[in-house]
Every structure is written in C-alpha cells, then in structure tokens.
Amino acid sequence: GENVEQHPSTLSVQEGDSAVIKCTYSDSASNYFPWYKQELGKGPQLIIDIRSNVGEKKDQRIAVTLNKTAKHFSLHITETQPEDSAVYFCAASGGGSYIPTFGRGTSLIVHP
Amino acid sequence: NAGVMQNPRHLVRRRGQEARLRCSPMKGHSHVYWYRQLPEEGLKFMVYLQKENIIDESGMPKERFSAEFPKEGPSILRIQQVVRGDSAAYFCASSPGTGGADTQYFGPGTRLTVL
C-alpha cells in the first residue's frame, strides 16, 4: 500500500518568512495530492490540492509543487502570518485506491 | 451550502457503554469516510461508505466497531463496549463520488472520551 512521509514534524518561523513542508510517497500510481490545515479543536480543512498532470499550483500565498519522478510534493507558504499557525497534513491517493494516505502532520508555528 | 456536520461534538462514555457518532455529508455528496485521530498523530482511515453500502472497511477493527450509511439520514459510526483506548477524535469526510480520487471535505469531528 501507499506510504507517505512528511517533514519536518515541527516548523517554527518568524512572521513574514516563508515556510516549506515536504512529503514523499511510495506508490507511483498515486495521482492526487491534497493538503489540509487543521487548527486546534477543529477538523482538517482543504487548502490546496494538485493532480499529477501538473507540476505546480498556486493560490495567493500558498503553492504546491509535485515531482512525479522523485515521488515528492511540497507545500510553500509565503509571507507567513500568525493565523497560519496550525498542523498541516499532506495526503496521496489514486491509482488502485481512492482512500488517501495521510502524512503524520507538521506543526507550523508563526511567531509575531 | 452547509458543510459536513457531525454530532455530538463531544461525547463522554464509561467503559462498557456504547458510543454512537453521526455524520451528515455535504449536500450532493454520496460518499462518506470515517477517520480516527489520536493526539499529535495523523488521520487513520477506518471505513468508506456509499448510500446503503460499505465499500471499504479495511481500517476498522473487526470487533465492537460498525458503520452504516442508510438511504435516509446520517451515517453512523457505532462503537460497542467502549474501552479507554477508544478515546480519540473521530472525523467524518464526504466527497461527491465523481470517480477517481475524490476531494474529501471534513467535518469538525467528535471527541470521544472514555472514562
């Protein structure tokens, strides 16, 4: 089955800096890669996703890149703000399974 | 357009009691997924259902756990004879079922505490 590794587990940045979270996956048949943001006491919220037919996708301060050859994808947040502080999860699905496999999460802390 | 609804948001049970968790998918969504999350851990898949059918229950313990998604009404995750190790946050997600890898939208979760 699919295995998703996510790094780092904790990321601390100053307000205004950029933050990068990286994930690798094992199943070359995976073709859908969503990113979720989870604030304390809340459910995961989809913030951006990418499918395997594109290499990069942007939405304001958030971007995701995908390298299918290397089987890794990354979340980039620019000009971070304190409200970006949360746990971020990557996931991979597609191919033989529609059930996404999630990474263990990255706790992002943005210091004002 | 209301999102995924879950209730109750918090549930306290004593060991041996039954826990019943409810999930109403987003309007127009026919697929429901249940996940369990332990503190500081990721989301672990439990079961995937469509209306009146269990599609994949490979992540659900064989004993004490069951799930259903009836033709009318919410999806229900039932845990019988709860034990302390069942304490966790349980999340439901729904998707439109358009085929392929669907985008899943999560509810706010039910936090189960077993005393």
Side-chain angles (χ1 to χ4, degrees), chain B residues 17-86:
Chain B
Q17 292 184 320
E18 179 179 285
R20 198 173 286 206
L21 289 61
R22 294 175 186 78
C23 169
S24 296
M26 283 179 71
K27 187 176 181 180
H29 286 192
S30 59
H31 294 212
V32 164
Y33 312 78
W34 286 93
Y35 294 84
R36 178 161 66 179
Q37 185 179 43
L38 294 170
E40 300 189 11
E41 289 195 12
L43 294 150
K44 299 297 184 187
F45 166 75
M46 299 181 73
V47 61
Y48 163 34
L49 310 103
Q50 295 176 22
K51 285 283 188 183
E52 300 184 279
N53 283 307
I54 296 175
I55 306 302
D56 185 336
E57 56 182 348
S58 59
M60 198 156 67
K62 296 285 187 284
E63 307 280 332
R64 302 187 298 108
F65 286 73
S66 63
E68 63 177 7
F69 189 15
K71 186 177 181 181
E72 301 290 338
S75 175
I76 295 175
L77 179 68
R78 185 181 291 112
I79 311 173
Q80 296 178 302
Q81 299 174 340
V82 296
V83 300
R84 290 225 173 101
D86 296 331

Side-chain angles (χ1 to χ4, degrees), chain A residues 27-49:
Chain A
D27 187 352
S28 57
S30 290
N31 57 15
Y32 176 60
F33 308 92
W35 285 88
Y36 290 87
K37 175 185 180 182
Q38 186 176 25
E39 296 175 327
L40 194 63
K42 296 185 178 181
Q45 179 185 13
L46 180 73
I47 55 171
I48 196 167
D49 56 10

Side-chain angles (χ1 to χ4, degrees), chain A residues 12-104:
Chain A
S12 185
V13 300
Q14 288 296 128
E15 183 177 1
D17 288 350
S18 294
V20 181
I21 302 170
K22 299 181 180 181
C23 289
T24 61
Y25 62 99
S26 60
D27 187 352
S28 57
S30 290
N31 57 15
Y32 176 60
F33 308 92
W35 285 88
Y36 290 87
K37 175 185 180 182
Q38 186 176 25
E39 296 175 327
L40 194 63
K42 296 185 178 181
Q45 179 185 13
L46 180 73
I47 55 171
I48 196 167
D49 56 10
I50 192 168
R51 296 193 184 266
S52 60
N53 56 345
V54 297
E56 184 176 1
K57 184 176 178 180
K58 280 186 178 180
D59 183 3
Q60 300 182 337
R61 296 186 297 110
I62 294 172
V64 56
T65 58
L66 171 64
N67 184 326
K68 284 217 71 177
T69 303
K71 289 189 282 189
H72 68 70
F73 56 112
S74 300
L75 178 70
H76 304 253
I77 306 174
T78 58
E79 301 173 22
T80 54
Q81 301 166 4
E83 50 265 39
D84 293 330
S85 297
V87 178
Y88 291 80
F89 292 97
C90 64
S93 66
S97 174
Y98 300 157
I99 307 300
T101 299
F102 286 84
R104 291 179 63 88

